Amino acid sequence: MNKNGRLEALSPEKSGLAGTGGWWNCLQAADLDGDGDQDLVAGNYGLNTRLSASREHPVTMYVRDFDNNQSLDQLLSYYYQGREILFATKDELQAQVPSIKKKFLKYHDYAKAGVKDIFGNKALESAEKMQAFTFESAWFENKGDGTFESHALPAAVQLSVVQQIRVQDFNADGRPDLLLAGNFFEANPELGRYDASYGALLLGDGKGNFQVLNNMSSGLLLRGQCRDVQTINTPRGPLLLIARNNERLGFYRFNQAGQQTPVQ
């Protein structure tokens, strides 16, 4: 908060953002509900994954020199059937923390062990701990009093990692719409690459509600790892420009119905 020219941090509890820690990638500000203030829309990790996060069962990164070799270890944990376990396999963990090999001689024993069974409460309590409580991409309603309220975006947005958001009136009705794009291929093999998004166009009603326009109707088919979305003006009208990792640029032209048509 700007207090007489000085920026002061407002606690998550006071701002309404408690429990919104996630693996966020992008953020845009716009008046999405027509009340005159700036709301936020943010792209997260998505829900189409074996990892799940909540306030009761967060995904946690523990950072500590667990094997006392003067090098920090980063260990990821998540909850499975109500029990906090490490994401790393026995082979992966003992390559990073060799002492584990003697403690768990059999894979069967390691498979039954929780995080506390492996390292103990004392080591975990002294570790730096970073937690994700939600993987939903969402928009945050500005209540006008320094607080926000989180609203999950539709299920079509949650199919993959959201890396870029474009806020624009795509159907020329005077209300802000959202175009979200992303994907992420360099994931751990056990998770698999995140490639289920072909771009999601959400038409806004100016009151904070959004309707998903399917890809056939919108004309958009954003393959690959989208990292930036911009609009450029040309003598023949605006073009939507899509930047993707290791791919040529994609161009879409707006037609009179608000649909985007690919430009070869």
Coordinates of all heavy atoms in Angstrom, one line a residue, residues 59-123:
V59 N 1.5 -28.2 -1.6 CA 2.8 -28.7 -2.2 C 3.9 -27.9 -1.7 O 3.8 -26.7 -1.7 CB 2.7 -28.7 -3.8 CG1 4.1 -29.0 -4.4 CG2 1.7 -29.6 -4.3
T60 N 4.9 -28.5 -1.1 CA 6.0 -27.8 -0.4 C 7.3 -28.1 -1.0 O 7.7 -29.2 -1.4 CB 5.9 -28.3 1.1 OG1 4.6 -28.1 1.6 CG2 7.0 -27.5 1.9
M61 N 8.2 -27.1 -1.0 CA 9.6 -27.2 -1.3 C 10.4 -26.9 -0.1 O 10.3 -25.8 0.5 CB 10.0 -26.2 -2.4 CG 11.5 -26.2 -2.7 SD 12.0 -27.7 -3.7 CE 11.4 -27.2 -5.3
Y62 N 11.1 -27.9 0.4 CA 12.0 -27.8 1.5 C 13.4 -27.5 1.0 O 13.9 -28.3 0.1 CB 12.0 -29.1 2.4 CG 10.7 -29.4 3.1 CD1 9.8 -30.3 2.5 CD2 10.4 -28.8 4.3 CE1 8.6 -30.6 3.1 CE2 9.2 -29.1 4.9 CZ 8.3 -30.0 4.4 OH 7.1 -30.3 5.0
V63 N 14.1 -26.5 1.5 CA 15.4 -26.1 1.1 C 16.3 -26.2 2.3 O 16.1 -25.4 3.3 CB 15.4 -24.7 0.4 CG1 16.9 -24.4 0.0 CG2 14.5 -24.7 -0.7
R64 N 17.3 -27.0 2.3 CA 18.2 -27.2 3.5 C 19.4 -28.1 3.0 O 19.3 -28.9 2.1 CB 17.5 -27.8 4.6 CG 18.3 -28.0 5.9 CD 17.5 -28.7 7.0 NE 18.1 -28.8 8.3 CZ 19.0 -29.7 8.6 NH1 19.3 -30.7 7.8 NH2 19.6 -29.7 9.8
D65 N 20.5 -28.0 3.7 CA 21.6 -28.9 3.5 C 21.4 -30.2 4.3 O 21.9 -30.3 5.4 CB 22.9 -28.2 3.9 CG 24.1 -29.1 3.7 OD1 24.0 -30.2 3.1 OD2 25.3 -28.8 4.1
F66 N 20.6 -31.1 3.8 CA 20.1 -32.2 4.5 C 21.2 -33.2 4.8 O 21.2 -33.9 5.8 CB 19.0 -32.9 3.8 CG 17.6 -32.2 3.9 CD1 17.2 -31.4 2.9 CD2 16.8 -32.3 5.0 CE1 16.0 -30.7 2.9 CE2 15.6 -31.7 5.1 CZ 15.2 -30.9 4.0
D67 N 22.2 -33.3 4.0 CA 23.3 -34.3 4.2 C 24.6 -33.6 4.6 O 25.7 -34.3 4.6 CB 23.5 -35.1 2.9 CG 23.8 -34.2 1.7 OD1 23.6 -33.0 1.8 OD2 24.0 -34.8 0.6
N68 N 24.6 -32.3 5.0 CA 25.7 -31.6 5.6 C 27.0 -31.7 4.7 O 28.1 -31.9 5.1 CB 26.1 -32.2 7.0 CG 24.9 -32.0 7.9 OD1 24.3 -31.0 8.1 ND2 24.6 -33.1 8.6
N69 N 26.8 -31.5 3.4 CA 27.9 -31.4 2.5 C 28.2 -30.0 1.9 O 28.8 -29.9 0.9 CB 27.7 -32.4 1.3 CG 26.5 -32.0 0.4 OD1 25.7 -31.1 0.7 ND2 26.4 -32.6 -0.7
Q70 N 27.7 -29.0 2.6 CA 27.9 -27.6 2.3 C 27.2 -27.2 1.0 O 27.5 -26.3 0.3 CB 29.4 -27.3 2.2 CG 30.2 -27.7 3.4 CD 29.7 -27.1 4.7 OE1 29.4 -25.9 4.7 NE2 29.5 -27.9 5.7
S71 N 26.1 -28.0 0.6 CA 25.4 -27.7 -0.6 C 23.9 -27.8 -0.3 O 23.5 -28.8 0.4 CB 25.7 -28.7 -1.7 OG 24.9 -28.4 -2.9
L72 N 23.1 -26.9 -0.7 CA 21.7 -26.9 -0.4 C 20.9 -27.9 -1.2 O 21.2 -28.1 -2.4 CB 21.0 -25.5 -0.6 CG 21.4 -24.4 0.3 CD1 20.8 -23.1 -0.1 CD2 21.0 -24.7 1.7
D73 N 20.0 -28.6 -0.6 CA 19.1 -29.6 -1.3 C 17.7 -29.0 -1.4 O 17.3 -28.3 -0.5 CB 19.1 -30.9 -0.5 CG 20.5 -31.5 -0.3 OD1 21.2 -31.8 -1.3 OD2 20.9 -31.6 0.9
Q74 N 17.1 -29.2 -2.5 CA 15.7 -28.8 -2.7 C 14.8 -30.0 -2.9 O 15.0 -30.8 -3.8 CB 15.6 -27.9 -4.0 CG 16.4 -26.6 -3.9 CD 17.8 -26.8 -4.4 OE1 18.1 -27.7 -5.2 NE2 18.8 -26.1 -3.9
L75 N 13.9 -30.2 -2.0 CA 13.1 -31.4 -2.0 C 11.6 -31.0 -2.0 O 11.1 -30.3 -1.2 CB 13.4 -32.2 -0.7 CG 14.8 -32.7 -0.5 CD1 15.0 -33.4 0.8 CD2 15.2 -33.6 -1.7
L76 N 10.9 -31.6 -3.0 CA 9.5 -31.3 -3.2 C 8.6 -32.4 -2.6 O 8.9 -33.6 -2.8 CB 9.2 -31.2 -4.7 CG 7.8 -30.8 -5.2 CD1 7.6 -29.3 -4.9 CD2 7.6 -31.1 -6.7
S77 N 7.6 -32.0 -1.9 CA 6.7 -32.9 -1.3 C 5.2 -32.6 -1.7 O 4.9 -31.4 -2.0 CB 6.8 -32.9 0.2 OG 6.2 -31.8 0.8
Y78 N 4.4 -33.6 -1.6 CA 3.0 -33.4 -1.9 C 2.2 -34.4 -1.1 O 2.8 -35.3 -0.5 CB 2.6 -33.5 -3.4 CG 2.8 -34.9 -4.0 CD1 1.7 -35.7 -4.3 CD2 4.1 -35.4 -4.2 CE1 1.9 -36.9 -4.8 CE2 4.3 -36.6 -4.8 CZ 3.1 -37.4 -5.1 OH 3.3 -38.6 -5.6
Y79 N 0.9 -34.3 -1.0 CA 0.1 -35.2 -0.2 C -0.6 -36.2 -1.1 O -1.1 -35.9 -2.2 CB -1.0 -34.4 0.5 CG -0.5 -33.8 1.8 CD1 0.1 -32.5 1.8 CD2 -0.7 -34.4 3.0 CE1 0.6 -32.0 2.9 CE2 -0.2 -33.8 4.2 CZ 0.4 -32.6 4.1 OH 0.9 -32.0 5.3
Y80 N -0.5 -37.4 -0.7 CA -1.2 -38.5 -1.4 C -1.9 -39.4 -0.4 O -1.3 -39.9 0.6 CB -0.2 -39.4 -2.1 CG -0.7 -40.6 -2.8 CD1 -1.5 -40.4 -4.0 CD2 -0.5 -41.9 -2.4 CE1 -2.1 -41.5 -4.6 CE2 -1.1 -43.0 -3.0 CZ -1.9 -42.8 -4.2 OH -2.4 -43.8 -4.8
Q81 N -3.2 -39.5 -0.5 CA -4.1 -40.2 0.4 C -3.9 -39.7 1.8 O -3.8 -40.5 2.8 CB -3.9 -41.7 0.3 CG -4.2 -42.3 -1.1 CD -4.0 -43.8 -1.1 OE1 -3.4 -44.4 -0.3 NE2 -4.6 -44.4 -2.2
G82 N -3.8 -38.4 2.0 CA -3.7 -37.7 3.3 C -2.3 -37.8 3.9 O -2.2 -37.3 5.1
R83 N -1.3 -38.3 3.2 CA 0.0 -38.4 3.8 C 1.0 -37.6 2.9 O 1.0 -37.7 1.7 CB 0.4 -39.9 3.8 CG 1.7 -40.2 4.5 CD 1.8 -41.7 4.7 NE 1.7 -42.4 3.5 CZ 2.7 -42.9 2.8 NH1 4.0 -42.8 3.3 NH2 2.6 -43.6 1.7
E84 N 1.9 -36.8 3.6 CA 2.9 -36.0 2.9 C 4.1 -36.9 2.5 O 4.7 -37.5 3.4 CB 3.3 -34.9 3.8 CG 4.3 -33.9 3.0 CD 4.8 -32.8 3.9 OE1 4.7 -32.9 5.1 OE2 5.4 -31.8 3.3
I85 N 4.3 -37.0 1.2 CA 5.4 -37.8 0.7 C 6.3 -37.0 -0.2 O 5.9 -35.9 -0.7 CB 4.9 -39.0 0.0 CG1 4.1 -38.6 -1.3 CG2 4.0 -39.9 0.9 CD1 3.6 -39.8 -2.1
L86 N 7.5 -37.5 -0.4 CA 8.4 -36.8 -1.4 C 8.1 -37.2 -2.8 O 7.7 -38.3 -3.1 CB 9.9 -37.2 -1.1 CG 10.5 -36.6 0.2 CD1 11.9 -37.2 0.3 CD2 10.5 -35.1 0.1
F87 N 8.3 -36.2 -3.7 CA 8.1 -36.4 -5.1 C 9.2 -37.3 -5.7 O 9.0 -38.1 -6.6 CB 8.0 -35.1 -5.9 CG 7.8 -35.3 -7.3 CD1 6.5 -35.6 -7.9 CD2 8.8 -35.1 -8.2 CE1 6.4 -35.8 -9.2 CE2 8.7 -35.3 -9.6 CZ 7.5 -35.6 -10.1
A88 N 10.4 -37.1 -5.2 CA 11.6 -37.8 -5.7 C 11.5 -39.3 -5.4 O 11.0 -39.7 -4.3 CB 12.8 -37.3 -5.1
T89 N 11.9 -40.1 -6.4 CA 12.0 -41.6 -6.1 C 13.2 -41.9 -5.2 O 14.0 -41.0 -5.0 CB 12.2 -42.3 -7.5 OG1 13.5 -41.9 -8.0 CG2 11.1 -42.0 -8.5
K90 N 13.3 -43.1 -4.8 CA 14.4 -43.5 -3.9 C 15.7 -43.2 -4.6 O 16.7 -42.7 -4.0 CB 14.3 -44.9 -3.5 CG 15.4 -45.4 -2.6 CD 15.1 -46.9 -2.2 CE 16.2 -47.4 -1.2 NZ 17.5 -47.5 -1.9
D91 N 15.8 -43.6 -5.9 CA 17.1 -43.5 -6.6 C 17.4 -42.0 -6.8 O 18.6 -41.6 -6.7 CB 17.0 -44.1 -8.0 CG 16.9 -45.6 -7.9 OD1 17.4 -46.2 -6.9 OD2 16.4 -46.3 -8.9
E92 N 16.4 -41.2 -7.1 CA 16.7 -39.7 -7.2 C 17.1 -39.1 -5.9 O 18.0 -38.3 -5.9 CB 15.4 -39.0 -7.8 CG 15.1 -39.4 -9.2 CD 13.7 -38.9 -9.6 OE1 12.8 -38.7 -8.7 OE2 13.5 -38.6 -10.8
L93 N 16.5 -39.5 -4.8 CA 16.8 -38.9 -3.5 C 18.2 -39.3 -3.1 O 18.9 -38.5 -2.6 CB 15.7 -39.3 -2.5 CG 16.0 -38.7 -1.1 CD1 15.9 -37.1 -1.2 CD2 14.9 -39.2 -0.1
Q94 N 18.5 -40.6 -3.2 CA 19.8 -41.0 -2.7 C 21.0 -40.5 -3.5 O 22.1 -40.4 -3.1 CB 19.9 -42.5 -2.5 CG 19.9 -43.3 -3.8 CD 19.7 -44.8 -3.6 OE1 19.0 -45.2 -2.6 NE2 20.2 -45.6 -4.5
A95 N 20.7 -40.1 -4.8 CA 21.7 -39.4 -5.6 C 22.0 -38.0 -5.1 O 23.1 -37.5 -5.2 CB 21.3 -39.4 -7.0
Q96 N 21.0 -37.4 -4.4 CA 21.1 -36.1 -3.9 C 21.5 -36.1 -2.4 O 22.3 -35.3 -2.0 CB 19.8 -35.3 -4.0 CG 19.9 -33.9 -3.7 CD 18.6 -33.1 -4.1 OE1 17.7 -33.7 -4.7 NE2 18.5 -31.9 -3.7
V97 N 21.0 -37.1 -1.7 CA 21.3 -37.3 -0.3 C 21.7 -38.7 -0.1 O 20.9 -39.6 0.3 CB 20.1 -36.9 0.6 CG1 20.4 -37.0 2.1 CG2 19.5 -35.6 0.3
P98 N 23.0 -39.1 -0.2 CA 23.4 -40.5 -0.2 C 23.1 -41.2 1.1 O 23.0 -42.5 1.0 CB 24.9 -40.4 -0.5 CG 25.1 -39.1 -1.2 CD 24.1 -38.2 -0.6
S99 N 23.0 -40.6 2.2 CA 22.8 -41.2 3.4 C 21.4 -42.0 3.5 O 21.2 -42.9 4.3 CB 22.8 -40.3 4.6 OG 21.8 -39.2 4.4
I100 N 20.5 -41.6 2.6 CA 19.2 -42.3 2.5 C 19.3 -43.7 2.1 O 18.5 -44.6 2.5 CB 18.3 -41.5 1.5 CG1 18.0 -40.1 2.1 CG2 17.0 -42.2 1.3 CD1 17.4 -40.0 3.4
K101 N 20.4 -44.0 1.4 CA 20.5 -45.4 0.9 C 20.7 -46.4 2.0 O 20.1 -47.5 2.0 CB 21.8 -45.5 0.0 CG 21.9 -46.9 -0.7 CD 23.1 -46.8 -1.7 CE 23.2 -48.2 -2.5 NZ 24.3 -48.1 -3.5
K102 N 21.4 -46.0 3.1 CA 21.5 -46.9 4.2 C 20.3 -47.0 5.1 O 20.0 -48.0 5.7 CB 22.7 -46.5 5.1 CG 24.1 -46.6 4.4 CD 25.2 -46.2 5.3 CE 26.6 -46.3 4.6 NZ 27.7 -45.9 5.4
K103 N 19.6 -45.9 5.1 CA 18.4 -45.8 6.0 C 17.2 -46.6 5.4 O 16.4 -47.2 6.1 CB 18.0 -44.3 6.2 CG 16.8 -44.1 7.2 CD 16.6 -42.7 7.5 CE 15.5 -42.5 8.6 NZ 15.3 -41.1 8.9
F104 N 17.1 -46.6 4.1 CA 16.1 -47.3 3.4 C 16.7 -48.3 2.4 O 17.0 -47.9 1.2 CB 15.1 -46.4 2.7 CG 14.3 -45.5 3.7 CD1 14.8 -44.2 4.0 CD2 13.2 -46.0 4.3 CE1 14.1 -43.4 4.8 CE2 12.5 -45.2 5.1 CZ 12.9 -43.9 5.5
L105 N 17.0 -49.5 2.8 CA 17.6 -50.5 1.9 C 16.7 -51.0 0.8 O 17.1 -51.3 -0.3 CB 18.2 -51.6 2.7 CG 19.3 -51.3 3.8 CD1 19.7 -52.5 4.6 CD2 20.5 -50.6 3.1
K106 N 15.4 -51.0 1.1 CA 14.4 -51.6 0.2 C 13.5 -50.5 -0.3 O 13.1 -49.6 0.4 CB 13.6 -52.7 0.9 CG 14.5 -53.9 1.4 CD 13.6 -54.9 2.0 CE 14.4 -56.1 2.5 NZ 13.6 -57.1 3.2
Y107 N 13.1 -50.6 -1.6 CA 12.2 -49.7 -2.2 C 10.8 -49.8 -1.5 O 10.1 -48.7 -1.4 CB 12.0 -50.0 -3.7 CG 13.2 -49.7 -4.5 CD1 14.2 -50.7 -4.8 CD2 13.4 -48.4 -5.1 CE1 15.3 -50.4 -5.5 CE2 14.5 -48.1 -5.8 CZ 15.5 -49.1 -6.1 OH 16.6 -48.8 -6.8
H108 N 10.5 -50.9 -1.0 CA 9.2 -51.1 -0.4 C 9.1 -50.2 0.9 O 8.1 -49.6 1.2 CB 9.0 -52.6 0.0 CG 7.7 -52.9 0.7 ND1 6.5 -52.8 0.1 CD2 7.5 -53.2 2.0 CE1 5.5 -53.1 1.0 NE2 6.1 -53.3 2.2
D109 N 10.2 -50.2 1.7 CA 10.2 -49.4 2.9 C 10.2 -47.9 2.6 O 9.5 -47.1 3.2 CB 11.5 -49.7 3.7 CG 11.5 -51.1 4.2 OD1 10.4 -51.7 4.4 OD2 12.6 -51.7 4.4
Y110 N 10.9 -47.5 1.5 CA 10.9 -46.1 1.1 C 9.5 -45.7 0.7 O 9.0 -44.6 0.9 CB 11.9 -45.8 0.0 CG 11.9 -44.4 -0.5 CD1 12.6 -43.4 0.3 CD2 11.3 -44.0 -1.6 CE1 12.7 -42.1 -0.2 CE2 11.3 -42.7 -2.1 CZ 12.0 -41.8 -1.4 OH 12.1 -40.5 -1.8
A111 N 8.8 -46.6 -0.1 CA 7.5 -46.2 -0.6 C 6.5 -46.0 0.5 O 5.5 -45.2 0.3 CB 7.0 -47.4 -1.5
K112 N 6.7 -46.6 1.7 CA 5.7 -46.4 2.8 C 6.1 -45.2 3.7 O 5.3 -44.9 4.6 CB 5.7 -47.7 3.7 CG 5.2 -48.9 3.0 CD 5.0 -50.1 3.9 CE 6.3 -50.5 4.6 NZ 6.1 -51.7 5.5
A113 N 7.2 -44.6 3.4 CA 7.7 -43.5 4.3 C 7.2 -42.2 3.9 O 7.2 -41.8 2.7 CB 9.3 -43.5 4.3
G114 N 6.8 -41.4 4.9 CA 6.4 -40.0 4.7 C 7.6 -39.1 4.8 O 8.7 -39.6 5.2
V115 N 7.5 -37.9 4.6 CA 8.6 -36.9 4.7 C 9.2 -36.9 6.1 O 10.4 -36.9 6.2 CB 8.1 -35.5 4.3 CG1 9.3 -34.5 4.5 CG2 7.6 -35.5 2.8
K116 N 8.4 -36.9 7.1 CA 8.9 -36.9 8.5 C 9.6 -38.2 8.8 O 10.6 -38.2 9.6 CB 7.7 -36.6 9.4 CG 7.1 -35.3 9.3 CD 6.0 -35.0 10.3 CE 5.4 -33.7 10.1 NZ 4.2 -33.4 11.0
D117 N 9.2 -39.3 8.2 CA 9.9 -40.6 8.5 C 11.3 -40.5 7.9 O 12.2 -41.2 8.4 CB 9.1 -41.7 7.9 CG 7.7 -41.9 8.4 OD1 7.6 -41.7 9.6 OD2 6.8 -42.1 7.6
I118 N 11.5 -39.8 6.8 CA 12.8 -39.8 6.1 C 13.7 -38.9 6.8 O 14.9 -39.2 7.0 CB 12.6 -39.4 4.6 CG1 11.7 -40.5 3.9 CG2 13.9 -39.3 3.9 CD1 11.3 -40.1 2.5
F119 N 13.3 -37.7 7.2 CA 14.2 -36.6 7.7 C 14.0 -36.3 9.1 O 14.9 -35.7 9.7 CB 14.1 -35.4 6.8 CG 14.6 -35.6 5.4 CD1 13.7 -35.6 4.3 CD2 15.9 -35.7 5.1 CE1 14.1 -35.8 3.0 CE2 16.4 -35.9 3.8 CZ 15.5 -36.0 2.8
G120 N 12.8 -36.5 9.7 CA 12.6 -36.1 11.1 C 12.1 -34.7 11.2 O 12.4 -33.9 10.3
N121 N 11.3 -34.4 12.2 CA 10.7 -33.1 12.4 C 11.8 -32.0 12.6 O 11.6 -30.9 12.1 CB 9.9 -33.1 13.7 CG 8.6 -34.0 13.5 OD1 8.1 -34.1 12.4 ND2 8.1 -34.5 14.6
K122 N 12.9 -32.3 13.3 CA 13.9 -31.3 13.5 C 14.5 -30.7 12.3 O 14.6 -29.5 12.1 CB 15.0 -31.8 14.5 CG 16.0 -30.8 14.9 CD 17.0 -31.4 15.9 CE 18.0 -30.3 16.3 NZ 19.0 -30.9 17.3
A123 N 14.9 -31.6 11.4 CA 15.5 -31.2 10.1 C 14.5 -30.4 9.2 O 14.8 -29.4 8.6 CB 16.0 -32.4 9.3

